[in-house]
Amino acid sequence: MKKTIDLAIIGGGIAGVSAAIYAKRAGLNFCLFEPKAIGGQLLLMETVDNYTGISLGTKAINLATQLEDTIKELQIEVIPEEISKFEISGKQINLTTSENSFVVNAAIITTGASFKKLGASREEELTGRGVSYCAICDGFFFKNKTVAVVGGGNSAVEEALYLSNICSKVYLIHRRKELRAIEYLQKELLRKSNVEIIFDTVIEELKGADCLTGAGIKNTITGVSGTLSLNGLFVAIGVNPNTQAFKDAISLDESGFITTDEEMKTNHNFVWAAGDCRKRPLRQLVTASSEGAISAVSAYKYLKGGYISA
Ligand code: NAP
């Protein structure tokens, strides 16, 4: 038999956990769906430097653990299943996972985003064999080795900084002539003697039979091609929203991000979205957390017809 829930919060990153805290305090009947560990992208970051009230350099894993502790303290029910189908049926939503089906009256989508792939041939084959998307997760395997990071944003520079403390040599390969990462990170990077930035350059091919041995690169201005010998390649070129399961039911923008109003409401007045899966001007923990809270208050207003005294 299908289980009926008032509110489903889908995703256990900081947006989902914030939504769950507010939903709990408001006395809503809800479940949090998260097939992996609580913490979302915090589990893939090293430090949190720009979250209000948190000391500079706070370990991201410690914040993730605190989120998990909060979920337990508040006795929030976590269903460790991934939503594969999300169908609107009148004023209700049918949720399907690989194990169960649920009927819910309202939903908050906080499924975050996943790392973009480079699109190079053999990228998938060499993933885990030299190609990685997470320096914190895999950097350890490249101790005293030569690696490259691809990208020019905050993530790429943070990855290069992290790897510079582990690897003997780190190349940062960027397709344009200037980085888009914040100045503070760029300054930090310039202090690292084992980091070399290669501008105006793209990866043409990945080399290596069983595992990565190098990359074919090309200067986009001069057209000159060459080969870099590498033990590892870290791709940090941004994220794609995890919205595949919702695409037939919810309005998305051209890049697949969920569009909402300022109360986090989607094109359905009983579905909200918060965090990195949502089209938003600032992708930060602090905005994801506040959007989670706003979405829970919006859900409360819809379900109970009033205002939360938070
Ligand atoms: P991002 O800011 O979107 O930067 C992606 C970078 O990858 C850009 O430099 C882009 O080049 C490059 N790129 C994109 N597709 C590429 C491709 N196919 N081949 C080669 N290069 C490609 O992504 P992000 O750095 O992951 O950051 C995502 C969001 O999280 C941002 O809002 C960022 O501010 C935030 N974030 C913040 C922090 C922090 O505040 N400490 C840390 C990490 C992330 P172009 O420059 O040419 O477009």
Side-chain angles (χ1 to χ4, degrees):
M1 206 179 79
K2 286 186 181 178
K3 187 176 172 186
T4 301
I5 310 167
D6 250 3
L7 172 68
I9 299 176
I10 306 171
I14 197 150
V17 173
S18 292
I21 292 169
Y22 278 74
K24 186 73 186 186
R25 289 170 65 93
L28 296 180
N29 158 28
F30 72 100
C31 296
L32 178 69
F33 288 81
E34 174 52 72
K36 299 181 188 149
I38 294 294
Q41 286 182 47
L42 280 171
L43 300 168
L44 305 174
M45 291 162 57
E46 193 198 8
T47 55
V48 176
D49 289 323
N50 44 8
Y51 190 58
T52 320
I54 292 268
S55 311
L56 285 181
T58 294
K59 292 279 170 217
I61 190 70
N62 292 347
L63 187 53
T65 306
Q66 279 175 23
L67 299 186
E68 172 98 59
D69 291 347
T70 303
I71 293 285
K72 284 185 188 142
E73 271 170 43
L74 292 176
Q75 298 181 341
I76 289 166
E77 185 183 352
V78 178
I79 299 180
E81 296 170 25
E82 183 168 350
I83 305 298
S84 54
K85 230 189 245 171
F86 181 101
E87 293 165 312
I88 306 275
S89 168
K91 286 265 165 213
Q92 287 188 312
I93 307 155
N94 294 318
L95 294 184
T96 311
T97 72
S98 56
E99 286 138 74
N100 289 297
S101 298
F102 303 84
V103 176
V104 303
N105 294 322
I108 298 175
I109 304 171
T110 62
T111 44
S114 303
F115 301 118
K116 267 188 194 164
K117 304 276 192 280
L118 203 52
S121 64
R122 304 190 50 240
E123 183 174 359
E124 205 159 319
E125 207 181 313
L126 291 170
T127 297
R129 296 165 175 266
V131 175
S132 170
Y133 301 85
C134 176
I136 309 280
C137 321
D138 300 330
F140 172 79
F141 299 114
F142 300 92
K143 198 167 168 47
N144 297 326
K145 306 234 160 134
T146 299
V147 300
V149 176
V150 190
N154 285 334
S155 301
V157 173
E158 283 191 343
E159 299 257 300
L161 282 169
Y162 179 80
L163 291 164
S164 70
N165 296 323
I166 300 173
C167 305
S168 55
K169 175 83 186 178
V170 179
Y171 295 102
L172 178 64
I173 303 172
H174 183 38
R175 65 183 178 184
R176 288 189 304 121
K177 69 169 182 306
E178 55 197 31
L179 302 173
R180 69 163 72 208
I182 51 174
E183 209 182 316
Y184 156 76
L185 287 174
Q186 293 196 37
K187 278 190 180 153
E188 285 285 300
L189 196 68
L190 291 175
R191 277 199 210 120
K192 299 284 181 180
S193 57
N194 62 341
V195 175
E196 186 179 331
I197 308 176
I198 307 180
F199 287 112
D200 293 321
T201 297
V202 291
I203 304 270
E204 282 198 311
E205 59 169 328
L206 303 177
K207 297 187 183 285
D210 290 338
C211 53
L212 184 90
T213 56
I217 56 172
K218 183 178 175 182
N219 185 300
T220 55
I221 309 292
T222 62
V224 174
S225 295
T227 299
L228 270 185
S229 289
L230 297 171
N231 303 108
L233 180 78
F234 289 82
V235 181
I237 59 171
V239 292
N240 283 322
N242 298 325
T243 53
Q244 193 62 20
F246 312 101
K247 69 177 183 354
D248 296 331
I250 302 296
S251 283
L252 310 177
D253 75 358
E254 61 290 350
S255 303
F257 291 92
I258 300 172
T259 51
T260 75
D261 66 8
E262 63 181 18
E263 295 194 333
M264 307 303 133
K265 184 167 60 110
T266 66
N267 56 316
H268 295 283
N269 70 341
F270 47 97
V271 183
W272 303 267
D276 275 1
C277 62
R278 170 183 175 261
K279 180 179 169 134
R280 58 214 282 258
L282 182 61
R283 295 184 185 287
Q284 294 283 303
L285 285 173
V286 71
T287 44
S289 178
S290 5
E291 291 168 17
I294 294 168
S295 63
V297 173
S298 300
Y300 177 85
K301 284 187 207 164
Y302 171 81
L303 290 165
K304 302 286 184 195
Y307 286 86
I308 294 183
S309 151

